[in-house]
Amino acid sequence: MKLKTVELRRIALPLVRPFRTSFGVQTRRDVLLIHVVTDEGEGWGECVALTDPFYSSEYVEGAHAILRDYLIPRLFAAPEVTATSVAPLLGDVLGHRMAKAAIETAILDAELRAHDISFASYLGAVRTEVECGVSVGIAASIDQLLEEVASYVKEGYLRIKLKIEPGWDVEPVRAVRESFGPDLRLQVDANSAYDAATSVQLEALDEFSLLLIEQPFAEDDLHQHTVLSQRIRTAVCLDESITSARVAADAIRRGACSVINVKAGRMGGYLEAVRVHDVCDALGIPVWCGGMLETGIGRAANVALAALPNFRYPGDTSASDRYYEEDITEPFVLRDGKLPVPTGPGMGVQPRPDVLQALTTSVETIQS
Ligand code: NPQ
Ligand code: MG
């Protein structure tokens, strides 16, 4: 395909409730959407970079700048662009994986739409629906946490993930386990908030039969994850640390984790995410699909990815209404704790123009 126009559209979506993690509280999601026009048709991509560089080093304003100044010019300079050629064309630019993922996804969407192939079938999906969990923010009190968890369980979510930090770990986990019983699938996510000194509090979580403990330590501290893995029965899962299939294989061989959270944005795109899925499968390590509070655009692609065979736990692929009053696409609605895998060409969904327009804060159009 020949790339003709790229539109960088910024939107702001209010969250239905504030989302508090160990790195801060958010009441709004600032999303960068990419719309590409090629000689064979159009495609969409969503950049998962957050407003601030607190989850990872990337942030939405930086992603916008690197796309405009480095990534898009390289694609315009190429005589021909396909999804598989995007990563090689951008290879001299280091890092910025979320920005690279967004543009690769938009090109892949255009390519698959042109060939009438769905994301799911292209990526290798083996399921028509995926099991869903929900990520629960740090609450103001244990009572409020129990209330929030109860509402998600009632809605049908098949797994609960509690955000934790030092001082909000053993007590909330004990309370949820005691209230909801041994059959509730329960896991925790620390977003790198612990270190060698506070690690002993994580060992105290071992008695609660958690599915896994996600990213307790710094993203570049594989060793500390290995030490914890050797001290507890509960599985250690990596999120922020896993930036490629090569890093995934390294972390597994070092004994740093026994489960991996796959987020395409964090690893540079859906093609690399499939390679992470495959290398984990080959090494006997299950994966599950993470989430970055995507709109329906990113969510559709995530649900397709989560339908691959080695996705063996419910994902953070929640319904649209977990985060947003009104999604920019047709909303994803939970049915028996599951979401249907889109079957239409490309990601199978598109933004509703009126909703998109109302939420847009800026548009930059770049021509070849
Ligand atoms: C994680 N996601 O697994 C991320 C972190 C994350 C679903 O827990 C606004 C505020 C947007 C906090 C996107 C989930 C966010 C956010 C992602 C946290 O670590
Ligand atoms: Mg995480």
Side-chain angles (χ1 to χ4, degrees), residues 75-219:
L75 301 183
F76 277 141
E80 189 78 25
V81 175
T82 60
T84 55
S85 70
V86 170
L89 287 169
L90 306 181
D92 65 325
V93 177
L94 301 180
H96 298 282
R97 292 181 182 85
M98 292 174 178
K100 290 175 176 176
I103 187 72
E104 183 192 89
T105 302
I107 305 258
L108 179 57
D109 186 41
E111 194 176 330
L112 294 180
R113 280 178 207 263
H115 292 91
D116 201 19
I117 300 168
S118 69
F119 256 65
S121 70
Y122 178 78
L123 298 177
V126 295
R127 291 184 271 268
T128 58
E129 52 185 16
V130 301
E131 293 196 331
C132 300
V134 60
S135 179
V136 184
I138 294 168
S141 69
I142 298 281
D143 280 352
Q144 286 182 28
L145 176 71
L146 294 177
E147 226 174 88
E148 192 177 342
V149 170
S151 74
Y152 295 135
V153 168
K154 192 167 168 219
E155 287 173 45
Y157 285 105
L158 299 170
R159 179 227 74 195
I160 297 292
K161 160 168 138 181
L162 302 182
K163 290 293 196 177
I164 61 166
E165 65 183 2
W168 182 264
D169 40 36
V170 176
E171 268 192 78
V173 168
R174 184 192 305 282
V176 170
R177 184 51 92 206
E178 282 177 359
S179 288
F180 297 90
D183 292 342
L184 178 74
R185 284 188 266 181
L186 184 63
Q187 63 192 55
V188 295
D189 185 0
N191 289 112
S192 307
Y194 292 78
D195 59 20
T198 48
S199 185
V200 51
Q201 291 153 249
L202 298 168
E203 294 173 35
L205 294 176
D206 213 19
E207 62 173 290
F208 299 110
S209 305
L210 300 176
L211 290 176
L212 55 88
I213 299 178
E214 180 177 347
Q215 196 72 41
F217 308 113
E219 67 176 56

Side-chain angles (χ1 to χ4, degrees), residues 316-363:
D316 280 342
T317 46
S318 305
S320 297
D321 70 0
R322 157 67 182 90
Y323 296 115
Y324 306 114
E325 203 82 55
E326 185 168 45
D327 205 334
I328 62 171
T329 62
E330 283 300 311
F332 279 85
V333 180
L334 209 62
R335 214 195 53 192
D336 296 329
K338 297 173 185 162
L339 287 182
V341 178
T343 55
M347 51 182 64
V349 300
Q350 50 271 311
R352 294 180 285 175
D354 51 328
V355 182
L356 196 59
Q357 198 54 46
L359 298 171
T360 296
T361 55
S362 74
V363 183

Side-chain angles (χ1 to χ4, degrees), residues 19 21 23 26 29 50 55 135 161 163 189 191 214 239-240 261 263 291-293 316 323:
F19 190 48
T21 66
F23 59 84
Q26 289 290 315
R29 188 78 174 85
L50 303 184
Y55 161 82
S135 179
K161 160 168 138 181
K163 290 293 196 177
D189 185 0
N191 289 112
E214 180 177 347
D239 173 359
E240 286 89 325
N261 167 328
K263 291 176 183 167
M292 292 293 288
L293 282 56
D316 280 342
Y323 296 115

